[in-house]
Amino acid sequence: MLSTFLKRNVSVVAATKPLINYQARFASTEAGRLLALNELSPMEGSTRKRRRWGRGTGSGRGKMCGYGHQKSRSTPFGFEGGQTPLYKRLPKIGFKNHTHRDLLGVNLSTIQEYVALGKLVPKQNDMITMRDLVRAGVTTNPQDGIKLLGQGAEKFNVSIHLEVTQASRTAIEAVEKAGGTVTCVHFNKLAMRALLKPHKFEILPWRARPIPTIMQYYLDKDNSGYMSPEIQIRNAKLFGHVTSEAKYRAEHEAFMTYIRSLKKEGKKFPVRPTRLIVN
């Protein structure tokens, strides 16, 4: 039935008007006869014959196949043909200290200036942590912690309780003379991130103990190390805790409880929290 329909329509079209090129390729020039499969061919110029490489030198495309002599394009940097390269002949100098910490220095004069401007408010029964220093604008982005330095110790007269990573002996003496305290607490990179950006954690990680190479620093009372028994007793009497970890952990748990209650009610937190907001 299909062939009869096509024959009838081809004959009608051929009788009424001449066929254009693409129609002539579908239907034979003789009206009433279908185009056979063996008569199909691509359009002129649409294809070209594939080149045959490597078929002997007489073909013009043999031996090197038109690419000629090649040199290596993947020679590694510093390769000297097989002999021992220069960077291996020279001795190694120096080493990389994997326990090095890049601490940001903050002077006592800077802290006194920010207190005078009202940007940093001392707390009578609590410690000013590195999070408070960052939010007040005293410093920005401490990767491994903050070290308290003694510049301006002669004129320092602010009674403030500070919690930092390290502190110089001059700075500790000046703060204690003014009626404040200094507590040096170890923070690794994860603990620093949890301290500065607690909203990025569903559960706050516990702070790690210092590695053996710096353990003695935090055990020394003269350095105000938080692992010293004298410093632990002093902070427990003044603040009710040795470090700020317990306080911040309780705040974070209250904040996450508030966020979970919003999710159960189908609500979303209005703005991405950059600091803890506890109602």
Side-chain angles (χ1 to χ4, degrees), residues 32-49:
R33 188 174 69 83
L34 287 175
L35 186 65
L37 292 176
N38 62 341
E39 297 177 353
L40 294 176
S41 61
M43 296 288 291
E44 294 182 4
S46 62
T47 61
R48 60 182 180 180
K49 190 176 180 181

Side-chain angles (χ1 to χ4, degrees), residues 53-66:
W53 299 94
R55 298 300 187 272
T57 56
S59 65
R61 302 190 185 98
K63 194 179 178 181
M64 297 297 181
C65 299

Side-chain angles (χ1 to χ4, degrees), residues 124-156:
Q124 296 299 326
N125 300 323
D126 205 354
M127 293 182 286
I128 297 293
T129 64
M130 290 183 284
R131 182 195 296 183
D132 300 322
L133 296 178
V134 171
R135 289 179 179 174
V138 178
T139 184
T140 57
N141 195 21
Q143 295 292 335
D144 297 322
I146 294 175
K147 182 172 182 178
L148 189 64
L149 303 177
Q151 183 176 347
E154 301 82 5
K155 300 180 181 180
F156 189 78

Side-chain angles (χ1 to χ4, degrees), residues 36 55 60 65 100 102 107 142 149-150 160 199 221:
R55 298 300 187 272
C65 299
H100 172 72
D102 189 13
N107 291 302
L149 303 177
I160 190 172
H199 59 277
K221 172 184 175 297

Side-chain angles (χ1 to χ4, degrees), residues 21 29 31 49 51 121 157 167 186 198 213-214 220 253 267-268 276:
N21 290 339
T29 54
K49 190 176 180 181
R51 290 185 177 182
V121 181
N157 55 6
H186 171 68
T213 55
I214 59 176
D220 193 351
E253 183 59 33
K267 301 178 182 179
K268 293 184 178 180
L276 292 181

